[in-house]
Amino acid sequence: CEIASKVKPGLITLVPEKRQELTTEGGLDVISQKDYLKKYLEKLHKNNMTVSIFINANNEQIKYAKEIGADYIEIHTGPYAESPNDTELNKVKAAVEFGRS
């Protein structure tokens, strides 16, 4: 938050990553961290920053992302990328449609 407040980027995306990961292995768990994330987003918004949250294709996660004040969501497509099939693709499509609503 401190670096972002100094740099003031136009858009910030919150992504969970472990140091050992080459790429993000999953979305941020908004539900279990909602209180912390809500306060964190409030700080970023006070500095006029737009915030996106990288989450799994899950309607409950999407609901909470809105509740905590996320301006945008980005859907993790890893399960589809690892095993391209209609089931995983439909999960992503359904999450996008739900998010738009």
Side-chain angles (χ1 to χ4, degrees):
C1 196
E2 291 177 32
I3 294 171
S5 296
K6 290 178 186 175
V7 176
K8 298 193 188 249
L11 174 67
I12 293 174
T13 301
L14 302 181
V15 179
E17 272 193 12
K18 299 173 187 161
R19 291 179 187 253
Q20 304 84 355
E21 289 179 336
L22 296 177
T23 186
T24 306
E25 295 175 2
L28 190 62
D29 185 354
V30 179
I31 296 169
S32 70
Q33 301 179 67
K34 67 181 178 180
D35 295 331
Y36 170 78
L37 288 170
K38 185 172 184 170
K39 290 176 186 173
Y40 197 81
L41 265 67
E42 287 172 358
K43 290 178 189 177
L44 295 171
H45 284 139
K46 283 181 184 175
N47 286 298
N48 298 317
M49 289 180 256
T50 302
V51 183
S52 177
I53 298 183
F54 184 77
I55 57 177
N56 291 329
N58 174 290
N59 289 357
E60 289 301 306
Q61 294 290 343
I62 294 168
K63 285 180 192 176
Y64 278 94
K66 179 177 180 171
E67 184 179 302
I68 65 166
D71 299 298
Y72 296 95
I73 58 169
E74 297 178 41
I75 303 296
H76 178 252
T77 58
Y80 175 73
E82 291 173 10
S83 178
N85 61 67
D86 288 342
T87 301
E88 291 300 331
L89 181 59
N90 289 334
K91 286 180 187 177
V92 172
K93 286 180 179 180
V96 170
E97 289 178 24
F98 184 76
R100 285 183 173 166
S101 71

